[in-house]
């Protein structure tokens, strides 16, 4: 029985993929701990290369969901539910279309799209651009729909939501609560839809369970090590540089393989 379990776990991680996945997950945890964002964007292109695009979506989203589940009780009282309800409903409604794209598009194209989204997001963050339009219901629904489709196809649905939510004058605790709550409301359904579609197997969930402790350890170390040690903006810039390098690496690899 033990040998059977060992062989099953070995099938989840093959050779060097194990150490790469552990290293990437740990760094993603550090980023989540000291910068508060970027963990999914770091894991997505690397995991797509290692495990395939469909399994990547389930693994990354499952890890992020558990982290969101842990944070949600702390932030729910600050969340803007009037804004989040239509955005989350639109995101969930768009997920089946994203899953269809996930099943229809080859892995190299998914890696290219994820990497391009990451590079674009980092450049936008560096320029300091913010959405200046009105937060109408139509705009909120559109952002949610785009994010839901992106999340289902690439596991990276955060950039449009982040740019939209950070465009207002809300205090930091409201922005943080909105971001955490949005992921909490959408990620579980995404896992169910992807698994029910049959494009990803149980290996993806097992992989997420095995990697989660590494993610939590990295987040704990990141939060402890960098808390009060300097300017928070410095750490955010480090996170953006790491994401930018990851995105460029993904684009370069896709270009060379294409």
């Amino acid at each position: 029985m033990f040998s059977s379990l060992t062989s099953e776990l070995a099938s989840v991680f093959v050779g060097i993929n194990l150490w790469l996945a552990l290293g990437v997950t740990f760094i993603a945890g550090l980023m989540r701990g000291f910068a508060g964002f970027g963990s999914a964007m770091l894991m997505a292109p690397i995991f797509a290369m290692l495990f395939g695009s469909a399994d990547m979506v389930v693994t990354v989203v499952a890890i992020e969901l558990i982290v969101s589940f842990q944070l949600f009780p702390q932030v729910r009282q600050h969340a803007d539910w009037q804004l989040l309800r239509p955005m989350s409903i639109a995101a969930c409604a768009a997920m089946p279309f994203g899953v269809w794209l996930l099943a229809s598009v080859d892995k190299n194209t998914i890696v290219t799209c994820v990497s391009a989204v990451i590079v674009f997001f980092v450049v936008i963050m560096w320029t300091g651009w913010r959405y200046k339009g009105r937060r109408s219901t139509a705009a909120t629904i559109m952002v949610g729909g785009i994010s839901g489709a992106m999340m289902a196809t690439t596991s990276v649905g955060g950039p449009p939501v982040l740019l939209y939510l950070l465009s207002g004058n809300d205090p930091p605790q409201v922005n943080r609560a909105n971001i955490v709550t949005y992921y909490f409301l959408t990620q579980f359904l995404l896992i169910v839809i992807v698994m029910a579609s049959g494009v990803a197997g149980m290996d993806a969930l097992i992989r997420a369970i095995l990697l989660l402790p590494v993610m939590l350890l990295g987040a704990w170390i990141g939060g402890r090590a960098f808390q009060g040690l300097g300017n928070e903006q410095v750490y955010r810039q480090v996170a953006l540089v790491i994401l930018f390098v990851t995105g460029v690496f993904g684009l370069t690899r896709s270009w060379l393989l294409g």
Side-chain angles (χ1 to χ4, degrees):
M1 181 176 179
F2 179 77
S3 60
S4 175
L5 177 62
T6 302
S7 63
E8 286 185 28
L9 293 177
S11 69
V12 174
F13 294 107
V14 181
I16 195 171
N17 288 3
L18 167 63
W19 301 107
L20 286 174
L22 289 173
V24 169
T25 304
F26 182 72
I27 295 172
L30 288 175
M31 291 174 60
R32 185 70 175 258
F34 72 74
F37 70 95
S39 51
M41 285 186 276
L42 176 64
M43 292 186 288
I46 306 299
F47 284 8
M49 297 175 200
L50 295 178
F51 311 121
S53 51
D55 276 16
M56 170 273 292
V57 169
V58 174
T59 299
V60 172
V61 172
I63 293 173
E64 291 288 312
L65 173 62
I66 298 174
V67 175
S68 299
F69 185 81
Q70 180 186 22
L71 294 174
F72 176 67
Q74 308 169 21
V75 303
R76 62 182 178 181
Q77 68 270 23
H78 299 296
D80 183 353
W81 291 96
Q82 187 174 355
L83 179 70
L84 291 171
R85 283 191 190 96
M87 181 183 292
S88 301
I89 292 172
C92 293
M95 284 176 183
F97 173 69
V99 172
W100 175 79
L101 287 176
L102 177 65
S104 305
V105 178
D106 66 274
K107 183 181 80 170
N108 197 50
T109 302
I110 296 291
V111 172
T112 301
C113 291
V114 174
S115 302
V117 167
I118 292 170
V119 171
F120 179 74
F121 172 75
V122 171
V123 171
I124 290 293
M125 294 292 287
W126 272 335
T127 62
W129 180 86
R130 291 289 185 269
Y131 170 76
K132 302 298 183 183
R134 190 169 65 90
R135 281 188 183 177
S136 64
T137 302
T140 301
I141 291 174
M142 182 180 69
V143 170
I146 294 172
S147 172
M150 288 175 56
M151 197 185 304
T153 308
T154 67
S155 83
V156 180
V161 171
L162 287 170
L163 294 174
Y164 185 66
L165 292 178
L166 296 176
S167 65
N169 297 317
D170 296 321
Q173 67 267 27
V174 173
N175 282 327
R176 179 171 179 266
N178 286 340
I179 293 168
V180 170
T181 302
Y182 172 76
Y183 284 126
F184 177 77
L185 294 174
T186 56
Q187 288 172 328
F188 177 76
L189 180 61
L190 174 57
I191 293 174
V192 171
I193 292 174
V194 175
M195 295 296 293
S197 70
V199 298
M202 284 300 297
D203 283 359
L205 283 178
I206 296 173
R207 190 178 298 116
I209 293 171
L210 295 176
L211 291 174
L212 178 63
V214 180
M215 174 74 167
L216 295 178
L217 175 63
W220 181 82
I221 293 175
R224 293 282 181 173
F226 298 106
Q227 186 176 9
L229 294 183
N231 189 337
E232 181 185 356
Q233 291 300 317
V234 174
Y235 306 133
R236 288 183 175 271
Q237 292 303 317
V238 171
L240 289 174
V241 168
I242 294 173
L243 290 176
F244 183 79
V245 171
T246 302
V248 170
F249 171 75
L251 288 174
T252 302
R253 180 183 181 277
S254 298
W255 177 73
L256 291 175
L257 293 179

